[in-house]
PDB file of all heavy atoms in Angstrom:
ATOM      1  N   ARG A  52     -12.398  -9.651   6.616  1.00  0.00           N
ATOM      2  CA  ARG A  52     -12.460  -8.243   6.255  1.00  0.00           C
ATOM      3  C   ARG A  52     -13.525  -7.468   6.971  1.00  0.00           C
ATOM      4  O   ARG A  52     -13.305  -6.264   7.235  1.00  0.00           O
ATOM      5  CB  ARG A  52     -12.747  -8.235   4.715  1.00  0.00           C
ATOM      6  CG  ARG A  52     -11.560  -8.425   3.867  1.00  0.00           C
ATOM      7  CD  ARG A  52     -11.823  -8.536   2.361  1.00  0.00           C
ATOM      8  NE  ARG A  52     -10.694  -8.938   1.640  1.00  0.00           N
ATOM      9  CZ  ARG A  52      -9.823  -8.085   1.173  1.00  0.00           C
ATOM     10  NH1 ARG A  52      -9.902  -6.786   1.332  1.00  0.00           N
ATOM     11  NH2 ARG A  52      -8.747  -8.536   0.584  1.00  0.00           N
ATOM     12  N   ILE A  53     -14.580  -8.129   7.308  1.00  0.00           N
ATOM     13  CA  ILE A  53     -15.638  -7.411   8.092  1.00  0.00           C
ATOM     14  C   ILE A  53     -15.057  -6.798   9.378  1.00  0.00           C
ATOM     15  O   ILE A  53     -15.258  -5.651   9.672  1.00  0.00           O
ATOM     16  CB  ILE A  53     -16.808  -8.366   8.416  1.00  0.00           C
ATOM     17  CG1 ILE A  53     -17.614  -8.650   7.150  1.00  0.00           C
ATOM     18  CG2 ILE A  53     -17.715  -7.760   9.539  1.00  0.00           C
ATOM     19  CD1 ILE A  53     -18.659  -9.774   7.325  1.00  0.00           C
ATOM     20  N   GLY A  54     -14.236  -7.568  10.126  1.00  0.00           N
ATOM     21  CA  GLY A  54     -13.628  -7.077  11.287  1.00  0.00           C
ATOM     22  C   GLY A  54     -12.647  -5.923  11.060  1.00  0.00           C
ATOM     23  O   GLY A  54     -12.636  -4.923  11.735  1.00  0.00           O
ATOM     24  N   VAL A  55     -11.818  -6.072  10.003  1.00  0.00           N
ATOM     25  CA  VAL A  55     -10.838  -5.042   9.682  1.00  0.00           C
ATOM     26  C   VAL A  55     -11.501  -3.775   9.194  1.00  0.00           C
ATOM     27  O   VAL A  55     -11.141  -2.683   9.526  1.00  0.00           O
ATOM     28  CB  VAL A  55      -9.724  -5.583   8.726  1.00  0.00           C
ATOM     29  CG1 VAL A  55      -8.770  -4.454   8.343  1.00  0.00           C
ATOM     30  CG2 VAL A  55      -9.027  -6.753   9.363  1.00  0.00           C
ATOM     31  N   GLU A  56     -12.514  -3.999   8.356  1.00  0.00           N
ATOM     32  CA  GLU A  56     -13.226  -2.805   7.789  1.00  0.00           C
ATOM     33  C   GLU A  56     -13.947  -2.034   8.953  1.00  0.00           C
ATOM     34  O   GLU A  56     -13.945  -0.817   8.937  1.00  0.00           O
ATOM     35  CB  GLU A  56     -14.268  -3.283   6.752  1.00  0.00           C
ATOM     36  CG  GLU A  56     -13.612  -3.625   5.433  1.00  0.00           C
ATOM     37  CD  GLU A  56     -14.573  -4.183   4.395  1.00  0.00           C
ATOM     38  OE1 GLU A  56     -15.796  -4.245   4.697  1.00  0.00           O
ATOM     39  OE2 GLU A  56     -14.144  -4.543   3.317  1.00  0.00           O
ATOM     40  N   SER A  57     -14.467  -2.774   9.918  1.00  0.00           N
ATOM     41  CA  SER A  57     -15.116  -2.143  11.057  1.00  0.00           C
ATOM     42  C   SER A  57     -14.082  -1.403  11.814  1.00  0.00           C
ATOM     43  O   SER A  57     -14.339  -0.246  12.372  1.00  0.00           O
ATOM     44  CB  SER A  57     -15.797  -3.147  11.986  1.00  0.00           C
ATOM     45  OG  SER A  57     -16.902  -3.726  11.295  1.00  0.00           O
ATOM     46  N   TRP A  58     -12.850  -1.935  12.064  1.00  0.00           N
ATOM     47  CA  TRP A  58     -11.839  -1.268  12.877  1.00  0.00           C
ATOM     48  C   TRP A  58     -11.402   0.002  12.107  1.00  0.00           C
ATOM     49  O   TRP A  58     -11.245   1.046  12.711  1.00  0.00           O
ATOM     50  CB  TRP A  58     -10.684  -2.224  12.991  1.00  0.00           C
ATOM     51  CG  TRP A  58      -9.539  -1.706  13.868  1.00  0.00           C
ATOM     52  CD1 TRP A  58      -9.414  -1.820  15.229  1.00  0.00           C
ATOM     53  CD2 TRP A  58      -8.385  -0.957  13.458  1.00  0.00           C
ATOM     54  NE1 TRP A  58      -8.271  -1.187  15.630  1.00  0.00           N
ATOM     55  CE2 TRP A  58      -7.634  -0.687  14.592  1.00  0.00           C
ATOM     56  CE3 TRP A  58      -7.951  -0.499  12.207  1.00  0.00           C
ATOM     57  CZ2 TRP A  58      -6.450   0.058  14.507  1.00  0.00           C
ATOM     58  CZ3 TRP A  58      -6.750   0.168  12.102  1.00  0.00           C
ATOM     59  CH2 TRP A  58      -5.996   0.492  13.261  1.00  0.00           C
ATOM     60  N   LEU A  59     -11.234  -0.145  10.816  1.00  0.00           N
ATOM     61  CA  LEU A  59     -10.807   1.067  10.024  1.00  0.00           C
ATOM     62  C   LEU A  59     -11.841   2.187  10.095  1.00  0.00           C
ATOM     63  O   LEU A  59     -11.503   3.305  10.139  1.00  0.00           O
ATOM     64  CB  LEU A  59     -10.517   0.661   8.612  1.00  0.00           C
ATOM     65  CG  LEU A  59      -9.120   0.033   8.426  1.00  0.00           C
ATOM     66  CD1 LEU A  59      -9.045  -0.697   7.032  1.00  0.00           C
ATOM     67  CD2 LEU A  59      -8.036   1.094   8.476  1.00  0.00           C
ATOM     68  N   ALA A  60     -13.121   1.788  10.089  1.00  0.00           N
ATOM     69  CA  ALA A  60     -14.176   2.791  10.165  1.00  0.00           C
ATOM     70  C   ALA A  60     -14.054   3.645  11.476  1.00  0.00           C
ATOM     71  O   ALA A  60     -14.479   4.794  11.550  1.00  0.00           O
ATOM     72  CB  ALA A  60     -15.539   2.081  10.092  1.00  0.00           C
ATOM     73  N   ARG A  61     -13.540   3.046  12.528  1.00  0.00           N
ATOM     74  CA  ARG A  61     -13.356   3.722  13.752  1.00  0.00           C
ATOM     75  C   ARG A  61     -12.047   4.548  13.776  1.00  0.00           C
ATOM     76  O   ARG A  61     -12.084   5.645  14.332  1.00  0.00           O
ATOM     77  CB  ARG A  61     -13.273   2.683  14.907  1.00  0.00           C
ATOM     78  CG  ARG A  61     -13.074   3.242  16.246  1.00  0.00           C
ATOM     79  CD  ARG A  61     -13.143   2.295  17.311  1.00  0.00           C
ATOM     80  NE  ARG A  61     -12.903   2.922  18.614  1.00  0.00           N
ATOM     81  CZ  ARG A  61     -12.606   2.332  19.718  1.00  0.00           C
ATOM     82  NH1 ARG A  61     -12.454   1.009  19.707  1.00  0.00           N
ATOM     83  NH2 ARG A  61     -12.416   2.983  20.785  1.00  0.00           N
ATOM     84  N   TRP A  62     -10.931   4.074  13.214  1.00  0.00           N
ATOM     85  CA  TRP A  62      -9.642   4.676  13.368  1.00  0.00           C
ATOM     86  C   TRP A  62      -9.152   5.438  12.190  1.00  0.00           C
ATOM     87  O   TRP A  62      -8.273   6.319  12.303  1.00  0.00           O
ATOM     88  CB  TRP A  62      -8.642   3.671  13.818  1.00  0.00           C
ATOM     89  CG  TRP A  62      -8.910   3.061  15.187  1.00  0.00           C
ATOM     90  CD1 TRP A  62      -9.399   1.794  15.357  1.00  0.00           C
ATOM     91  CD2 TRP A  62      -8.798   3.637  16.466  1.00  0.00           C
ATOM     92  NE1 TRP A  62      -9.629   1.520  16.723  1.00  0.00           N
ATOM     93  CE2 TRP A  62      -9.284   2.705  17.405  1.00  0.00           C
ATOM     94  CE3 TRP A  62      -8.432   4.891  16.919  1.00  0.00           C
ATOM     95  CZ2 TRP A  62      -9.221   2.982  18.785  1.00  0.00           C
ATOM     96  CZ3 TRP A  62      -8.448   5.165  18.243  1.00  0.00           C
ATOM     97  CH2 TRP A  62      -8.842   4.166  19.153  1.00  0.00           C
ATOM     98  N   CYS A  63      -9.611   5.132  11.040  1.00  0.00           N
ATOM     99  CA  CYS A  63      -9.113   5.749   9.805  1.00  0.00           C
ATOM    100  C   CYS A  63      -9.888   6.994   9.478  1.00  0.00           C
ATOM    101  O   CYS A  63     -11.088   7.041   9.582  1.00  0.00           O
ATOM    102  CB  CYS A  63      -9.190   4.710   8.644  1.00  0.00           C
ATOM    103  SG  CYS A  63      -8.707   5.272   7.030  1.00  0.00           S
ATOM    104  N   PRO A  64      -9.162   8.067   9.025  1.00  0.00           N
ATOM    105  CA  PRO A  64      -9.905   9.240   8.594  1.00  0.00           C
ATOM    106  C   PRO A  64     -10.890   8.891   7.461  1.00  0.00           C
ATOM    107  O   PRO A  64     -10.487   8.024   6.547  1.00  0.00           O
ATOM    108  CB  PRO A  64      -8.783  10.171   8.031  1.00  0.00           C
ATOM    109  CG  PRO A  64      -7.533   9.695   8.720  1.00  0.00           C
ATOM    110  CD  PRO A  64      -7.716   8.229   8.902  1.00  0.00           C
ATOM    111  N   GLN A  65     -12.030   9.451   7.448  1.00  0.00           N
ATOM    112  CA  GLN A  65     -13.110   9.061   6.484  1.00  0.00           C
ATOM    113  C   GLN A  65     -12.614   9.109   5.062  1.00  0.00           C
ATOM    114  O   GLN A  65     -12.910   8.247   4.268  1.00  0.00           O
ATOM    115  CB  GLN A  65     -14.315  10.006   6.681  1.00  0.00           C
ATOM    116  CG  GLN A  65     -15.501   9.629   5.803  1.00  0.00           C
ATOM    117  CD  GLN A  65     -16.184   8.412   6.261  1.00  0.00           C
ATOM    118  OE1 GLN A  65     -16.173   8.017   7.403  1.00  0.00           O
ATOM    119  NE2 GLN A  65     -16.781   7.714   5.324  1.00  0.00           N
ATOM    120  N   GLU A  66     -11.830  10.143   4.706  1.00  0.00           N
ATOM    121  CA  GLU A  66     -11.441  10.265   3.338  1.00  0.00           C
ATOM    122  C   GLU A  66     -10.376   9.232   2.911  1.00  0.00           C
ATOM    123  O   GLU A  66     -10.049   9.073   1.705  1.00  0.00           O
ATOM    124  CB  GLU A  66     -10.796  11.679   3.097  1.00  0.00           C
ATOM    125  CG  GLU A  66      -9.492  12.011   3.823  1.00  0.00           C
ATOM    126  CD  GLU A  66      -9.747  12.568   5.247  1.00  0.00           C
ATOM    127  OE1 GLU A  66     -10.829  12.464   5.814  1.00  0.00           O
ATOM    128  OE2 GLU A  66      -8.759  13.148   5.761  1.00  0.00           O
ATOM    129  N   TRP A  67      -9.795   8.455   3.856  1.00  0.00           N
ATOM    130  CA  TRP A  67      -8.874   7.382   3.548  1.00  0.00           C
ATOM    131  C   TRP A  67      -9.408   5.968   3.756  1.00  0.00           C
ATOM    132  O   TRP A  67      -8.608   5.032   3.691  1.00  0.00           O
ATOM    133  CB  TRP A  67      -7.556   7.597   4.358  1.00  0.00           C
ATOM    134  CG  TRP A  67      -6.823   8.822   3.858  1.00  0.00           C
ATOM    135  CD1 TRP A  67      -6.618   9.995   4.431  1.00  0.00           C
ATOM    136  CD2 TRP A  67      -6.122   8.870   2.624  1.00  0.00           C
ATOM    137  NE1 TRP A  67      -5.936  10.815   3.659  1.00  0.00           N
ATOM    138  CE2 TRP A  67      -5.577  10.181   2.477  1.00  0.00           C
ATOM    139  CE3 TRP A  67      -5.958   8.009   1.564  1.00  0.00           C
ATOM    140  CZ2 TRP A  67      -4.819  10.570   1.392  1.00  0.00           C
ATOM    141  CZ3 TRP A  67      -5.203   8.428   0.481  1.00  0.00           C
ATOM    142  CH2 TRP A  67      -4.656   9.735   0.380  1.00  0.00           C
ATOM    143  N   LEU A  68     -10.668   5.856   4.025  1.00  0.00           N
ATOM    144  CA  LEU A  68     -11.213   4.515   4.176  1.00  0.00           C
ATOM    145  C   LEU A  68     -11.097   3.689   2.928  1.00  0.00           C
ATOM    146  O   LEU A  68     -11.478   4.159   1.840  1.00  0.00           O
ATOM    147  CB  LEU A  68     -12.706   4.583   4.580  1.00  0.00           C
ATOM    148  CG  LEU A  68     -13.011   4.854   6.043  1.00  0.00           C
ATOM    149  CD1 LEU A  68     -14.554   4.992   6.234  1.00  0.00           C
ATOM    150  CD2 LEU A  68     -12.516   3.662   6.901  1.00  0.00           C
ATOM    151  N   PRO A  69     -10.590   2.446   3.042  1.00  0.00           N
ATOM    152  CA  PRO A  69     -10.546   1.659   1.828  1.00  0.00           C
ATOM    153  C   PRO A  69     -11.919   1.254   1.370  1.00  0.00           C
ATOM    154  O   PRO A  69     -12.860   1.190   2.223  1.00  0.00           O
ATOM    155  CB  PRO A  69      -9.795   0.390   2.315  1.00  0.00           C
ATOM    156  CG  PRO A  69      -9.236   0.683   3.608  1.00  0.00           C
ATOM    157  CD  PRO A  69      -9.985   1.847   4.182  1.00  0.00           C
ATOM    158  N   PRO A  70     -12.111   0.971   0.145  1.00  0.00           N
ATOM    159  CA  PRO A  70     -13.426   0.589  -0.365  1.00  0.00           C
ATOM    160  C   PRO A  70     -13.797  -0.844   0.263  1.00  0.00           C
ATOM    161  O   PRO A  70     -12.993  -1.711   0.405  1.00  0.00           O
ATOM    162  CB  PRO A  70     -13.244   0.430  -1.816  1.00  0.00           C
ATOM    163  CG  PRO A  70     -11.851   0.338  -2.141  1.00  0.00           C
ATOM    164  CD  PRO A  70     -11.078   1.037  -0.909  1.00  0.00           C
ATOM    165  N   ALA A  71     -15.018  -0.928   0.628  1.00  0.00           N
ATOM    166  CA  ALA A  71     -15.570  -2.168   1.196  1.00  0.00           C
ATOM    167  C   ALA A  71     -15.570  -3.246   0.095  1.00  0.00           C
ATOM    168  O   ALA A  71     -15.867  -2.972  -0.995  1.00  0.00           O
ATOM    169  CB  ALA A  71     -16.940  -2.018   1.802  1.00  0.00           C
ATOM    170  N   GLN A  72     -15.154  -4.493   0.506  1.00  0.00           N
ATOM    171  CA  GLN A  72     -15.049  -5.606  -0.441  1.00  0.00           C
ATOM    172  C   GLN A  72     -16.053  -6.625  -0.181  1.00  0.00           C
ATOM    173  O   GLN A  72     -16.287  -7.527  -1.015  1.00  0.00           O
ATOM    174  CB  GLN A  72     -13.635  -6.142  -0.389  1.00  0.00           C
ATOM    175  CG  GLN A  72     -12.537  -5.157  -0.654  1.00  0.00           C
ATOM    176  CD  GLN A  72     -12.376  -4.930  -2.161  1.00  0.00           C
ATOM    177  OE1 GLN A  72     -11.815  -5.740  -2.861  1.00  0.00           O
ATOM    178  NE2 GLN A  72     -12.878  -3.784  -2.579  1.00  0.00           N
ATOM    179  N   THR A  73     -16.670  -6.613   0.937  1.00  0.00           N
ATOM    180  CA  THR A  73     -17.503  -7.757   1.401  1.00  0.00           C
ATOM    181  C   THR A  73     -18.733  -7.931   0.533  1.00  0.00           C
ATOM    182  O   THR A  73     -19.150  -9.055   0.288  1.00  0.00           O
ATOM    183  CB  THR A  73     -17.966  -7.659   2.890  1.00  0.00           C
ATOM    184  OG1 THR A  73     -18.450  -6.371   3.100  1.00  0.00           O
ATOM    185  CG2 THR A  73     -16.756  -7.813   3.765  1.00  0.00           C
ATOM    186  N   GLY A  74     -19.226  -6.884  -0.048  1.00  0.00           N
ATOM    187  CA  GLY A  74     -20.419  -6.994  -0.981  1.00  0.00           C
ATOM    188  C   GLY A  74     -20.068  -7.749  -2.224  1.00  0.00           C
ATOM    189  O   GLY A  74     -20.838  -8.624  -2.712  1.00  0.00           O
ATOM    190  N   LEU A  75     -18.895  -7.529  -2.772  1.00  0.00           N
ATOM    191  CA  LEU A  75     -18.420  -8.230  -3.930  1.00  0.00           C
ATOM    192  C   LEU A  75     -18.180  -9.717  -3.655  1.00  0.00           C
ATOM    193  O   LEU A  75     -18.569 -10.586  -4.444  1.00  0.00           O
ATOM    194  CB  LEU A  75     -17.067  -7.593  -4.441  1.00  0.00           C
ATOM    195  CG  LEU A  75     -17.080  -6.210  -4.953  1.00  0.00           C
ATOM    196  CD1 LEU A  75     -15.717  -5.710  -5.171  1.00  0.00           C
ATOM    197  CD2 LEU A  75     -17.955  -6.052  -6.148  1.00  0.00           C
ATOM    198  N   ILE A  76     -17.655  -9.945  -2.503  1.00  0.00           N
ATOM    199  CA  ILE A  76     -17.385 -11.340  -2.059  1.00  0.00           C
ATOM    200  C   ILE A  76     -18.711 -12.076  -1.899  1.00  0.00           C
ATOM    201  O   ILE A  76     -18.879 -13.206  -2.415  1.00  0.00           O
ATOM    202  CB  ILE A  76     -16.614 -11.396  -0.755  1.00  0.00           C
ATOM    203  CG1 ILE A  76     -15.220 -10.752  -0.958  1.00  0.00           C
ATOM    204  CG2 ILE A  76     -16.474 -12.842  -0.204  1.00  0.00           C
ATOM    205  CD1 ILE A  76     -14.426 -10.460   0.268  1.00  0.00           C
TER     206      ILE A  76
END
Side-chain angles (χ1 to χ4, degrees):
R52 282 173 187 272
I53 288 170
V55 176
E56 288 175 0
S57 294
W58 184 90
L59 280 164
R61 179 175 179 198
W62 297 106
C63 179
Q65 185 69 31
E66 67 272 17
W67 288 108
L68 277 174
Q72 302 283 283
T73 52
L75 297 171
I76 296 167

